[in-house]
Amino acid sequence: MLTDRQRLEAAELLRSAEQHVTPIAPLIETFPGIGTEDAYEIQLVNIRHRIAAGAEVRGHKVGLSSPVMQRMMGVDEPDYGHLLHDMELHPDVPVRTARYCRPRVEVEVGFVLGEDLPGETCTPADVLAATERVVPALELIDSRIRDWRITIADTIADNASSAGYVIGEGRDPRELDLKAIDAVLTGGGELLAEGRSDAVLGDPTLSVAWLARTVARFGVPLKKGHLVLPGSCTRAVDVTAGTAFTAEFTGLGSVSLSFI
């Protein structure tokens, strides 16, 4: 367990790393006693800092939603981060790669809420009932930790390694089998990654329900209009300047993002 001062110091290190695009050593090396609770508090310090500067919360993302990633990190549940309005990206506006330390893209089936979700009692049925539409999405992830040498505490403190997101139009979730949406990521005319929506805990609605229950313990609601990114259908793919990515989803459409 860290002291309050150490948590503030860790938050400042991450904030400076992002601002100056200069990654830092793993927090576990600088603060050997850091734990998961510390990491979420550090994340919140920086989220509050950004909100005070004018940012607005537009939703949340779930990370480590596949059993493979959880085993790699030595954990038995996902983690989460915040999506802010200034993280929103657009298909028709190229992204400057130099803004990020070591960016990657992930393919996701996003959930746009039409109603608030219940908190600690939330079930997959509640998620379906409250979802206005599911959308094709690309999440831009980045690590302010040098060379992606992250532990679970590092990624949680670093806002679950989130950096940006872009979404397409989408469809009513009741029109689709949300466990059987095939996803393909291409870039530069090449197939880069492929997967299926059930890579996310077997059913992405389980991930959204887990998030609602988890953040409710901290007094955080998932509100009408919020976007939830439940986890990636595919492996993460490194970003290089000059590449245009397109993610295509069976029955759901596609979404694109380019980098300069």
Side-chain angles (χ1 to χ4, degrees), residues 109 176-183 195-199 202-204 249-251:
V109 175
L176 298 165
D177 180 353
L178 297 181
K179 299 186 292 295
I181 300 173
D182 292 311
R196 202 169 81 155
S197 54
D198 61 357
D203 179 348
F249 302 77
T250 54

Side-chain angles (χ1 to χ4, degrees), residues 30-44:
T30 308
F31 304 97
I34 190 171
T36 299
E37 182 178 340
D38 295 311
Y40 277 120
E41 288 298 328
I42 291 164
Q43 180 186 136
L44 284 172

Side-chain angles (χ1 to χ4, degrees), residues 61-80:
K61 60 85 49 102
V62 179
L64 305 180
S65 58
S66 75
V68 172
M69 289 301 297
Q70 289 177 18
R71 285 195 297 271
M72 188 174 78
M73 286 291 179
V75 296
D76 58 5
E77 68 175 13
D79 68 348
Y80 71 86

Side-chain angles (χ1 to χ4, degrees), residues 18 20 22-23 28 43 50 57 70 96 108 117 120 127 138-139 143-144 150 162 204 224 232 242 244-245 249 253 256:
E18 182 173 19
H20 299 291
T22 305
I28 194 70
Q43 180 186 136
R50 290 175 69 169
V57 175
Q70 289 177 18
R96 289 193 304 108
E108 310 211 12
L117 279 178
E120 294 181 355
V127 172
L138 284 171
E139 184 185 3
S143 183
R144 277 57 69 164
I150 55 175
S162 194
K224 176 180 179 179
S232 183
F245 295 95
F249 302 77
S256 299

